[in-house]
């Protein structure tokens, strides 16, 4: 059995890639448009191809990985912003959906802020529409893995559902989803207020007096 492979969409400085590398999973490409992040990626991941603007990328020319990760931009959903959601031009979730529909990875792993709110329904519906099963979203704070601050993040994990698998490497399935949408609407949708909260470690943010803590 060969090693699993990973493709990082909206890679940033590739925290996903680092975590997967620790697990023995090889990153085969990165997609990141920010020049500073690109500098970091070229320094620490010089061998995998580095692609720029995801909106211009032809996924037909990209190698399909076993795992697609995507920390898609959080600005449209962050409590610190205007929270315009889908109306915000910086909402690039549709690019994750497009990549998944074309590449057909075995797993899709996404991360975003709790402010994602009701848009989580859109994310889950889109993944189901392209024949993925979605696990209950998980909220994990940074403190749960030893960081000195809370920084809650929503994790969405989807895997291929062979029973519903249709055409591959094509976006045309996105136009044929009305029946699946009706079926999905009949099921209970997991929203953020019903997400499992992954408290894997005690909250240590108040244990060290005088330490720099980001709430």
């Amino acid at each position: 059995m060969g090693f699993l492979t990973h493709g990082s969409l909206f890679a940033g400085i590739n925290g996903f890639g680092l975590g997967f590398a620790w697990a023995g999973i090889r990153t085969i490409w990165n997609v990141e448009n920010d020049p500073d992040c690109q500098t970091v990626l070229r320094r620490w991941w010089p061998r995998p191809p580095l692609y720029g603007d995801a909106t211009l990328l032809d996924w037909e020319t990209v190698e399909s990985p076993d795992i697609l990760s995507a920390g898609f931009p959080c600005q449209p959903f962050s409590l610190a912003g205007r929270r315009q959601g889908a109306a915000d031009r910086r909402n690039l979730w549709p690019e994750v959906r497009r990549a998944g529909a074309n590449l057909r990875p075995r797993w899709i792993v996404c991360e975003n802020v709790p402010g994602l709110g009701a848009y989580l329904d859109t994310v889950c519906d889109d993944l189901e529409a392209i024949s993925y099963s979605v696990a209950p979203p998980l909220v994990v704070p940074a403190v749960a893995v030893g960081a000195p601050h809370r920084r809650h993040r929503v994790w969405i994990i989807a895997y291929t559902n062979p029973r519903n698998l249709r055409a591959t490497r094509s976006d045309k399935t996105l136009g044929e989803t009305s029946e699946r949408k009706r079926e999905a609407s009949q099921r209970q949708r997991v929203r953020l207020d019903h997400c499992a909260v992954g408290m894997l470690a005690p909250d240590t943010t108040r244990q060290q007096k005088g330490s720099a803590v980001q709430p």
Side-chain angles (χ1 to χ4, degrees):
M1 176 182 293
F3 290 106
L4 293 175
T5 60
H6 161 242
S8 188
L9 176 57
F10 307 119
I13 60 172
N14 210 13
F16 272 109
L18 181 60
F20 283 127
W22 289 340
I25 299 171
R26 180 171 57 92
T27 295
I28 57 174
W29 48 259
N30 293 299
V31 179
E32 177 54 57
N33 203 37
D34 181 84
D36 292 331
C37 291
Q38 287 182 344
T39 298
V40 175
L41 292 171
R42 290 191 179 99
R43 170 66 177 84
W44 294 104
W45 277 271
R47 297 183 64 181
L50 173 58
Y51 303 102
D53 191 342
T55 65
L56 303 178
L57 192 54
D58 179 6
W59 290 109
E60 294 285 348
T61 66
V62 177
E63 181 180 356
S64 180
D66 295 301
I67 304 169
L68 170 67
S69 72
F72 57 101
C74 66
Q75 290 91 339
F77 314 104
S78 174
L79 296 178
R82 297 181 179 180
R83 304 200 69 190
Q84 294 179 323
D88 194 313
R89 62 181 178 80
R90 296 170 296 180
N91 174 29
L92 295 178
W93 163 253
E95 294 304 318
V96 184
R97 179 187 63 192
R98 185 170 71 92
N102 282 271
L103 295 175
R104 304 304 314 172
R106 292 163 59 184
W107 296 86
I108 298 177
V109 182
C110 300
E111 170 268 339
N112 213 280
V113 295
L116 199 62
Y119 196 76
L120 179 62
D121 280 356
T122 297
V123 172
C124 293
D125 285 343
D126 282 352
L127 289 168
E128 290 175 349
I130 57 174
S131 302
Y132 283 83
S133 293
V134 185
L138 184 69
V139 179
V140 181
V143 69
V145 291
H149 52 88
R150 291 184 178 87
R151 196 177 179 85
H152 289 76
R153 288 296 181 267
V154 179
W155 296 85
I156 303 157
I157 301 174
Y159 55 95
T160 50
N161 187 344
R163 291 175 300 177
N164 297 328
L165 193 59
R166 290 187 178 181
T168 61
R169 301 189 69 86
S170 171
D171 217 16
K172 66 181 181 180
T173 55
L174 300 178
E176 302 172 351
T177 62
S178 58
E179 180 178 353
R180 294 183 188 179
K181 287 282 188 178
R182 286 194 296 270
E183 293 174 354
S185 67
Q186 295 172 1
R187 299 192 299 272
Q188 180 181 8
R189 168 63 61 228
V190 180
R191 290 184 180 271
L192 288 178
D193 55 353
H194 294 119
C195 285
V197 179
M199 294 300 295
L200 305 180
D203 188 340
T204 60
T205 56
R206 299 182 182 179
Q207 291 181 2
Q208 296 183 3
K209 184 176 179 180
S211 62
V213 174
Q214 175 184 342

